[in-house]
Amino acid sequence: MNNNCTAPVINTDVLIVGSGIAGLMLALRLQSSDLKVVLVSKAGLFDSNSSWAQGGVAAVTGANPFDSPEIHLIDTIKAGAGLTNADAARSIIFNGHRLIAELDRLGVAFEKNPVGAYDLALEGGHKQARVVHNKDTTGRSITEALSAKLLAAAKENKNLIVLENTIAINLRTTGDVCCGAELLKDGSKIIVHSAHTVLATGGVGQVYERTTNPLVATADGIALAYRIGAILSDMEFVQFHPTALRLDHAPAFLISEAVRGAGATLLDHRGQRFVKRFHQDGELATRDIVARAIHSVMSENDLPQVDLDMRPIGAAQIERRFPHILKTCGHYGIDILTQPIPVAPAAHYMMGGIKADVAGRTSVTGLYAIGECACTGLHGANRLASNSLLEAGVMALNLGDQLLASDCKSVRSNVNQKRNEQVLLPADLPIFRAQMYRHAGLVRSQSGLNMLLKAPSKTVSESQMTTEQYSHRNIFQVGLLIAQAALLRTESRGSHLREDYADLIRTPGMVLRDVSS
Ligand code: SIN
């Protein structure tokens, strides 16, 4: 590994770290200007949370005459359990139609009806159908279209560089200003000087043993920003998706909330529906409520899972609308046309992150955060389904506008900036991730969180670290930040349930325990 100061140097106007919808859209927005742009992807361009998104983009497009941005805003604020930043939410939601029009223009194949209007799905917490989608692989459709455009642009435009299989390992600073990053590619360091450094690194799912997120979701952006002193916010709020496949030898594959919007039901071990006992909206209550209802039924009856029954949707509609879920469950031996799917909650989305405004500006000059690694306050204590691609896309458009209007003068850091620190890694990563799931998952307590904060660690010299170890460092650092924040919030609100403060529950309409018995 080459960790010495002879590392090659790239000077650029904008460095974008991450290749989900936020990073790709921003790069595309800037590529026709004379700005020099470098986009870095930790694995391949398609390895992102965005690519794995099934549901779609929540947006008011005019296709549903009963919907309006005001209703979408109310649904979002209600889901956020009192912590939504209403100004940020208004700004993002009222730009939803602009984002969809832009994605359409860029060639994303959204499903439309015979008269050309968007086909809209219903998901939990939404009072109207408003989720623009492409079957159950919307994220893939978006990232495929955007990546194809970006790679074509990079062939023509020498000012646009795409680096795959490259991890950002540290941000660089001059005084209080962020002025680039150190990258690691094929074991060798690259130094990037950039006037503007944009983190679009996505989520934190791999901090937990059970997650719907891909392997690349190791909290990198949040850890990078934290290490240079950027303000983080709402770190205790981690959303658990209620319905991830639960089989012994299968990953926690996401079963989209859209299936419940289309009529799928949740059943306990007696084959009885149960979510209505916890909330009047039943299977279409917000995610925090449904996940917690499942958790309660599982723990009261000592079950590893509950069942998600898609049969009420009907075979023809399942085949047309949910082919990816049909195929993937089939691969693991579950025929969803004839049998229910075993499911349990899994870590899915980070509501908190690097504190940012709706154009991605953070507390550090020169550093921006867009998409899941950022925290604008849109999601409050619990994200409304399908608001994430919306937020990521709108933030990318906003930041693009801002950078196009700005003076991009690169600030050089000292190329010899040396870092040979001793770095903390978890002593045993699988054990740490299992403990995070157990003690900083759906249900938390002071004793469990305190135990996490004492998780055994080991030290390594940074100059010896591999790409994998950099990811493990970020998982550990952000896992401990989640535990610290969860310890400080002595109430139960949205996705954060403290069993030692359960009586202070602040999720509208939620009852903690099954009240029917
Ligand atoms: C889903 O399809 O249920 C996931 C969409 C989201 O997380 O917003």
Side-chain angles (χ1 to χ4, degrees):
M1 181 181 319
N2 172 8
N3 265 348
N4 62 36
C5 56
T6 58
V9 174
I10 299 175
N11 291 306
T12 189
D13 297 312
V14 184
L15 168 65
I16 303 170
V17 184
S19 63
I21 181 175
L24 292 172
M25 280 210 81
L26 178 62
L28 279 170
R29 187 119 185 106
L30 300 180
Q31 60 84 24
S32 56
S33 69
D34 57 5
L35 292 176
K36 192 166 177 198
V37 176
V38 176
L39 180 135
V40 170
S41 180
K42 183 170 160 181
L45 274 191
F46 292 126
D47 294 303
S48 65
N49 255 350
S50 299
S51 281
W52 284 26
Q54 294 181 7
V57 189
V60 178
T61 55
N64 175 353
F66 303 104
D67 200 9
S68 69
E70 283 83 3
I71 303 176
H72 187 179
L73 180 61
I74 290 167
D75 290 350
T76 299
I77 289 175
K78 234 170 132 180
L83 290 189
T84 309
N85 175 337
D87 291 339
R90 172 172 287 276
S91 164
I92 290 167
I93 286 166
F94 277 68
N95 273 296
H97 65 285
R98 175 180 172 225
L99 172 66
I100 299 296
E102 182 63 8
L103 290 170
D104 222 332
R105 190 186 70 76
L106 290 167
V108 176
F110 290 124
E111 258 180 86
K112 294 188 180 150
N113 66 21
V115 293
Y118 294 111
D119 184 71
L120 300 176
L122 181 65
E123 291 183 5
H126 291 271
K127 290 290 177 240
Q128 291 291 333
R130 63 169 70 96
V131 179
V132 181
H133 66 97
N134 187 10
K135 300 194 176 3
D136 55 355
T137 46
T138 311
R140 187 81 193 182
S141 299
I142 292 174
T143 53
E144 268 176 8
L146 301 186
S147 302
K149 283 257 178 327
L150 190 73
L151 292 174
K155 273 198 185 140
E156 303 294 316
N157 180 353
K158 66 176 179 14
N159 274 341
L160 174 61
I161 298 173
V162 176
L163 295 174
E164 293 184 277
N165 300 306
T166 304
I167 182 174
I169 54 176
N170 284 305
L171 295 174
R172 294 177 71 85
T173 51
T174 287
D176 292 341
V177 178
C178 178
C179 52
E182 292 167 11
L183 313 178
L184 194 67
K185 183 171 177 54
D186 303 326
S188 295
K189 255 194 193 173
I190 303 171
I191 307 292
V192 181
H193 294 301
S194 55
H196 303 280
T197 301
V198 183
L199 298 173
T201 52
V204 310
Q206 292 296 330
V207 169
Y208 291 90
E209 178 182 47
R210 236 181 96 69
T211 177
T212 61
N213 291 187
L215 287 173
V216 289
T218 56
D220 299 341
I222 297 176
L224 288 171
Y226 172 71
R227 294 204 288 272
I228 64 159
I231 296 176
L232 308 182
S233 184
D234 297 1
M235 289 295 291
E236 64 274 39
F237 296 114
V238 179
Q239 182 167 73
F240 279 69
H241 197 288
T243 58
L245 181 65
R246 171 69 181 82
L247 285 174
D248 278 349
H249 302 293
F253 170 68
L254 176 71
I255 313 290
S256 175
E257 188 152 326
V259 307
R260 280 175 279 132
T265 54
L266 281 160
L267 308 175
D268 64 16
H269 54 302
R270 295 176 308 239
Q272 304 289 315
R273 287 176 74 175
F274 59 87
V275 191
K276 272 229 159 92
R277 299 201 307 254
F278 295 83
H279 195 280
Q280 61 192 12
D281 291 344
E283 280 88 349
L284 287 180
T286 52
R287 242 171 228 184
D288 50 348
I289 291 167
V290 180
R292 213 173 284 155
I294 293 173
H295 184 270
S296 294
V297 166
M298 280 168 40
S299 30
E300 276 159 25
N301 300 290
D302 203 16
L303 305 168
Q305 83 251 334
V306 295
D307 283 334
L308 177 63
D309 191 357
M310 287 182 65
R311 289 171 298 184
I313 301 173
Q317 177 74 340
I318 291 176
E319 281 163 354
R320 190 193 71 73
R321 181 67 181 79
F322 301 109
H324 180 52
I325 295 174
L326 178 66
K327 188 169 163 207
T328 308
C329 288
H331 174 78
Y332 292 110
I334 309 284
D335 175 9
I336 65 174
L337 301 180
T338 59
Q339 63 188 126
I341 311 168
V343 293
H348 182 62
Y349 187 86
M350 174 44 118
M351 266 78 69
I354 307 156
K355 194 169 168 52
D357 69 9
V358 294
R361 280 175 291 231
T362 71
S363 62
V364 175
T365 305
L367 180 69
Y368 306 81
I370 54 177
E372 187 172 348
C373 68
C375 177
T376 61
L378 167 71
H379 310 305
N382 173 60
R383 177 175 65 94
L384 185 68
S386 290
N387 264 357
S388 45
L389 294 178
L390 167 73
E391 182 187 48
V394 169
M395 289 182 88
L397 293 179
N398 290 343
L399 179 54
D401 291 348
Q402 189 189 302
L403 293 180
L404 289 173
S406 76
D407 178 17
C408 275
K409 287 273 178 303
S410 172
V411 187
R412 299 231 169 156
S413 59
N414 176 3
V415 178
N416 292 322
Q417 198 171 49
K418 262 211 178 135
R419 222 180 299 257
N420 252 334
E421 288 170 15
Q422 294 297 301
V423 166
L424 280 187
L425 300 183
D428 185 316
L429 184 72
I431 290 180
F432 179 67
R433 294 175 69 233
Q435 298 286 60
M436 281 298 297
Y437 188 74
R438 176 139 188 238
H439 298 298
L442 265 172
V443 180
R444 293 121 179 232
S445 70
Q446 186 181 22
S447 55
L449 293 166
N450 272 329
M451 195 167 20
L452 271 177
L453 293 178
K454 293 187 204 121
S457 59
K458 62 185 179 198
T459 12
V460 292
S461 160
E462 184 163 3
S463 61
Q464 304 299 319
M465 278 166 65
T466 62
T467 296
E468 260 200 337
Q469 286 175 312
Y470 276 107
S471 297
H472 298 173
R473 170 200 207 177
N474 295 339
I475 286 175
F476 195 47
Q477 207 154 44
V478 171
L480 296 180
L481 287 170
I482 292 170
Q484 274 167 16
L487 198 55
L488 289 174
R489 185 169 287 280
T490 49
E491 63 168 355
S492 293
R493 183 188 287 273
S495 66
H496 170 73
L497 175 64
R498 282 283 299 262
E499 64 184 358
D500 41 353
Y501 291 93
D503 50 333
L504 289 179
I505 199 142
R506 303 211 192 276
T507 297
M510 174 70 186
V511 284
L512 181 62
R513 295 193 192 290
D514 175 355
V515 287
S516 70
S517 49

